[in-house]
Amino acid sequence: MDHNNLDLKTQPWSDEARVADSLKNSLEGRLGYQLRRASVTMMASLAKRMAHIGVTTTEASILILVADNPTVTQTELARTLGIKRANMVPLVTGLMARKLLAREPADGRSHALHLTAAGAQVVRQAQRQMQDHENHYFGGLSAAESKRLLAMLRAVWDIA
Amino acid sequence: MDHNNLDLKTQPWSDEARVADSLKNSLEGRLGYQLRRASVTMMASLAKRMAHIGVTTTEASILILVADNPTVTQTELARTLGIKRANMVPLVTGLMARKLLAREPADGRSHALHLTAAGAQVVRQAQRQMQDHENHYFGGLSAAESKRLLAMLRAVWDIA
DNA sequence: TATTGTTATACTCTATAACTATA
DNA sequence: TATAGTTATAGAGTATAACAATA
């Protein structure tokens, strides 16, 4: 497993990028640029936390959605998470092989997914890690600010 | 070129993901999740704008940084943009092949990059597109809110 | 006819290792 | 010894097309 060895020391911004760059950078003032940098930073950090649990961030999001929606099909998961049906196959296969996910025939062509006990345990760990992760980056914000930030980010999605 | 055919119709969230998903999704309340979704959305939209100019978002960021820092070397660019030196090679090669970028020996091992007239023109177009892009997504925010959002995003990078 | 799961495949992005030539 | 540019390559992630079984 562990194709997700995200030791932060191997990340570009600690190796090469994070040294004091004396370059002028007019991108720094762009919200889109800062948004992307923040996203990449947080995803790498979250990936490291998830690796400790033994899943990728994508796998964790699948397990959480199955926890939220017992009997969901993998095509429904794909739609919600923005993953192609074809790419769900190895993800679901891998999670079943590790006994985190199981499925039973729903109708003749679709399968109802559900968590195993081990899968439910991973979900609990992932949720806790995600909470800590949010607190790490945004714990300094007031409740009102967090709410406002969430709304601004959600608005981007809605506008698109 | 155009290995960047980002017609939004081919994006997952318009094809498959953006149909009304009736699934419960506890990830929706997470700032990290919304941050990533917003980033992916904006990057896809920006990529489409840049494609009209004939560059990728990465290429545009390179050209902009060269405009900011005439005589910069490609290793310095890589550091600032979080790109590996090895991966800068085809990027710089491609931009030189299209006469947007040129370079001259600085010392015996490094090259000073500079824009061609065509490259400077692309930078002007890219800057204008980026400004429109920001306005599209964040034009509804007050100046104070924009400033606050930028600071919150920059803080994520600083914390990491 | 449309949908679910699947296979096969291709392309982009990103990562490492190792080489060369210079400093 | 360290650095700049380069080559080669491997690994994820993500895209499409097409097929069988079923609705």
Side-chain angles (χ1 to χ4, degrees):
Chain A
M1 193 59 34
D2 213 13
H3 58 293
N4 211 338
N5 56 335
L6 279 163
D7 188 300
L8 280 178
K9 292 217 177 69
T10 70
Q11 292 306 311
W13 53 84
S14 59
D15 258 20
E16 309 201 54
R18 207 60 200 283
V19 292
D21 51 309
S22 53
L23 293 188
K24 184 186 173 195
N25 185 352
S26 59
L27 295 170
E28 290 278 352
R30 299 258 179 231
L31 283 167
Y33 181 78
Q34 294 293 345
L35 186 62
R36 172 149 161 74
R37 284 199 140 177
S39 173
V40 169
T41 297
M42 285 190 69
M43 283 303 294
S45 167
L46 183 62
K48 195 180 172 191
R49 284 177 183 268
M50 294 301 104
H52 292 325
I53 304 175
V55 292
T56 65
T57 54
T58 302
E59 288 170 338
S61 67
I62 289 171
L63 294 177
I64 288 171
L65 246 72
V66 173
D68 285 342
N69 305 276
T71 78
V72 70
T73 68
Q74 68 192 61
T75 294
E76 289 173 319
L77 283 182
R79 264 200 295 267
T80 301
L81 291 172
I83 299 171
K84 298 288 173 188
R85 278 195 335 281
N87 296 331
M88 283 295 296
V89 176
L91 290 167
V92 168
T93 301
L95 289 169
M96 289 196 299
R98 281 136 69 202
K99 308 289 187 197
L100 300 176
L101 204 58
R103 69 181 180 186
E104 288 144 24
D107 57 27
R109 64 184 174 186
S110 64
H111 303 271
L113 297 171
H114 61 89
L115 296 179
T116 64
Q121 173 64 11
V122 168
V123 166
R124 281 189 293 273
Q125 292 175 295
Q127 294 279 28
R128 185 152 39 80
Q129 287 298 319
M130 285 184 181
Q131 189 60 58
D132 291 351
H133 177 249
E134 303 258 307
N135 288 342
H136 177 66
Y137 287 102
F138 297 116
L141 301 183
S142 71
E145 279 183 314
S146 287
K147 195 176 163 190
R148 180 64 186 138
L149 177 57
L150 193 76
M152 288 192 287
L153 296 174
R154 201 195 297 269
V156 168
W157 167 268
D158 288 335
I159 288 169
Chain B
M1 195 62 30
D2 211 13
H3 60 293
N4 212 338
N5 55 337
L6 279 165
D7 188 299
L8 280 180
K9 291 216 178 67
T10 70
Q11 291 307 311
W13 54 85
S14 60
D15 259 19
E16 309 201 54
R18 206 61 200 284
V19 292
D21 51 310
S22 52
L23 294 188
K24 184 186 173 195
N25 186 351
S26 59
L27 296 170
E28 291 277 354
R30 299 257 179 233
L31 283 168
Y33 182 77
Q34 295 292 346
L35 185 62
R36 173 151 161 72
R37 283 197 143 180
S39 173
V40 170
T41 296
M42 286 190 69
M43 284 302 296
S45 168
L46 182 63
K48 194 180 173 189
R49 283 177 184 268
M50 293 301 103
H52 292 325
I53 305 175
V55 292
T56 66
T57 54
T58 302
E59 288 170 338
S61 67
I62 289 171
L63 294 177
I64 288 171
L65 245 72
V66 173
D68 285 342
N69 305 276
T71 78
V72 70
T73 68
Q74 67 192 63
T75 294
E76 288 173 321
L77 282 183
R79 265 200 294 266
T80 301
L81 290 171
I83 298 172
K84 297 289 171 186
R85 279 195 334 279
N87 296 331
M88 283 295 297
V89 176
L91 290 167
V92 168
T93 301
L95 289 168
M96 288 195 302
R98 281 136 69 201
K99 308 287 187 201
L100 301 175
L101 202 59
R103 68 182 182 187
E104 288 144 24
D107 57 27
R109 64 185 175 185
S110 63
H111 304 269
L113 298 171
H114 61 90
L115 297 180
T116 63
Q121 173 64 9
V122 168
V123 165
R124 281 189 294 272
Q125 292 175 297
Q127 293 280 28
R128 185 152 37 83
Q129 287 297 319
M130 285 184 182
Q131 190 60 57
D132 291 350
H133 177 249
E134 303 257 309
N135 289 342
H136 176 66
Y137 287 102
F138 297 116
L141 301 183
S142 70
E145 278 183 314
S146 286
K147 195 176 165 192
R148 181 63 186 138
L149 177 57
L150 193 76
M152 287 192 288
L153 296 173
R154 201 195 296 269
V156 168
W157 167 268
D158 288 336
I159 288 170

